[in-house]
């Protein structure tokens, strides 16, 4: 059996703690350690989970000693033991960390808060898996871009996309972010079109796409309002529903399930019981999709905290195993993460 890929996670917050758990669940990967910059309930969680804890940034060893949290060393010590690091530090901090990774000679994955030039390739598993083959630095695109890229991958492969318009209704904060807002109001994003369209083109360079965005007072999920003109449209809406049901990492809710919006989606996720009650699939509503000639209208909901987790796992595999293809990696990742595959 091939040696397991030894992985570090630098930054153990919303994304990092989920990536760490996901790596620990893969039979072909080994989680060597995670980093924290200060003691917190999350640092304690890492210790309780048995993940060796290392210090990063301006972390002070005395703070961890005072909290009774055992520390195995600094990020530089951790990097000496791994093949690859997943950087899940805050927006733009990843770029500053890149020098550490270069000096240590390790492969690195960055998140969507970094600009695309931080890495050799931007990545989405359904969209451009092979772009990460053999690369040393790869960026997994943001939550919104991941959601859009998955849908583009499904629709463009089957029917071709003439043009894509999307308005992104964005959550104001993650559930634990008590200092962000707004808590009452709708904030238009005064960048027209928004940056999300160009970000999708880092995966699909030829795609004609324009996006706009608003921020709303919710923590649960983003919702995308999509209008897509298809090149070779199928006979009807049912064909598109069938395609989304057959695609990995999509969950289609039928009208009889009475999932009216994101509250019921997250209640479904709580009942399913994946770690953190995550919802790693794009959520599509049968009743919220209509094909009118070549014009397809559909909503999709994106769980911002977890949608990029399977993509990070696939990026690790694509970078370190040039013989693995998208289908095999996605299936392996999803089995290990307990993502139910919807019946075709
Ligand atoms: P977060 O603030 O929840 O976690 C970041 C962690 O990194 C914190 O624990 C922080 O203490 C730590 N950190 C700070 N400085 C560091 C340093 N110098 N070295 C190592 N760690 C450091 O942030 P997050 O939401 O997990 O976001 C991480 C990345 O993932 C960002 O690029 C973000 O844009 C992207 N992302 C976030 C979401 C989301 O909805 N939260 C979704 C997709 C992508």
């Amino acid at each position: 059996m091939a040696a397991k890929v030894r992985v570090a996670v630098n930054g153990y917050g919303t994304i990092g703690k989920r990536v760490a758990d996901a790596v620990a669940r893969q039979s072909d990967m080994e989680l060597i350690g995670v980093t924290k910059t200060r003691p917190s309930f999350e640092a304690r969680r890492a210790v309780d989970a048995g993940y060796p804890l290392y210090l990063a940034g301006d972390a002070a060893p005395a703070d961890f000693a005072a909290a009774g949290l055992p520390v195995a060393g600094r990020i530089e010590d951790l990097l000496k033991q791994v093949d690859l690091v997943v950087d899940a530090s805050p927006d733009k901090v990843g770029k500053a960390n890149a020098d550490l990774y270069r000096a240590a000679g390790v492969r690195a994955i960055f998140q969507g808060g970094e600009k695309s030039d931080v890495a050799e390739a931007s990545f989405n598993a359904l969209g451009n898996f092979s772009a990460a083959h053999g690369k040393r630095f790869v960026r997994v695109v943001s939550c919104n871009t991941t959601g859009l890229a998955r849908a583009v991958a499904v629709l463009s492969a089957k029917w071709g996309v003439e043009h894509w318009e999307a308005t992104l209704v964005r959550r104001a904060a993650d559930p634990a972010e008590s200092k962000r807002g707004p808590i009452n109001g709708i904030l238009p994003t005064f960048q027209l079109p928004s940056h999300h369209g160009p970000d999708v083109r880092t995966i699909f360079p030829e795609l004609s796409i324009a996006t706009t965005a608003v921020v709303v007072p919710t923590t649960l999920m983003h919702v995308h309002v999509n209008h897509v003109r298809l090149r070779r449209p199928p006979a009807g809406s049912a064909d598109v529903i069938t395609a989304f049901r057959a695609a990995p990492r999509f969950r289609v809710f039928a009208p009889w399930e009475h999932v009216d919006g994101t509250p019921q989606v997250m209640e479904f996720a709580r009942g399913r019981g994946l770690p953190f009650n995550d919802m790693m699939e794009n959520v599509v509503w049968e009743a919220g999709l209509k094909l009118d000639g070549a014009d397809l209208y559909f909503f999709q909901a994106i769980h911002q905290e977890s949608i990029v987790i399977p993509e990070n796992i696939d990026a690790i595999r694509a970078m370190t195993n040039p013989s693995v293809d998208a289908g095999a990696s996605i299936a392996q990742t999803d089995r290990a993460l307990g993502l139910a595959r919807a019946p075709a």
Side-chain angles (χ1 to χ4, degrees), residues 170-173 177-188 214-219:
R170 300 176 57 201
R171 61 88 179 98
E177 291 180 314
S178 48
K179 292 189 172 66
R180 280 181 67 173
I183 58 169
N184 185 18
I186 299 175
L187 305 183
V214 294
V215 177
V216 298
T218 181
T219 63

Side-chain angles (χ1 to χ4, degrees), residues 10-11 13-15 36-37 56 88-91 93 111 113 171 174 304:
N10 191 22
T14 305
I15 300 298
K36 283 303 291 176
T37 52
S89 62
D91 292 4
V93 176
Q111 306 303 315
R171 61 88 179 98
D174 291 340
Q304 74 281 357

Side-chain angles (χ1 to χ4, degrees), residues 188-210:
T189 300
F190 294 129
Q191 182 198 23
L192 294 170
S194 73
H195 73 273
H196 305 92
D199 206 33
V200 175
R201 276 199 293 272
T202 66
I203 308 292
F204 296 99
E206 307 299 327
L207 184 71
S208 170
I209 180 168

Side-chain angles (χ1 to χ4, degrees), residues 10-17 35-38 40 42 55-58 75 87-94 96-97 100-101 110-114 140-144 146 171 173-174 177 180 222 303-308:
N10 191 22
Y12 190 77
T14 305
I15 300 298
K17 64 189 176 185
T35 70
K36 283 303 291 176
T37 52
R38 56 191 56 86
S40 66
E42 283 169 327
L55 305 185
D58 58 1
I75 174 72
D87 186 289
S89 62
D91 292 4
K92 313 296 180 275
V93 176
N97 286 338
L100 277 178
Y101 309 149
F110 300 89
Q111 306 303 315
E114 306 304 320
V140 169
V141 292
S142 73
C143 45
N144 278 304
T146 294
R171 61 88 179 98
D174 291 340
E177 291 180 314
R180 280 181 67 173
H222 306 296
H303 185 221
Q304 74 281 357
E305 296 168 283
S306 68
I307 189 162
V308 299

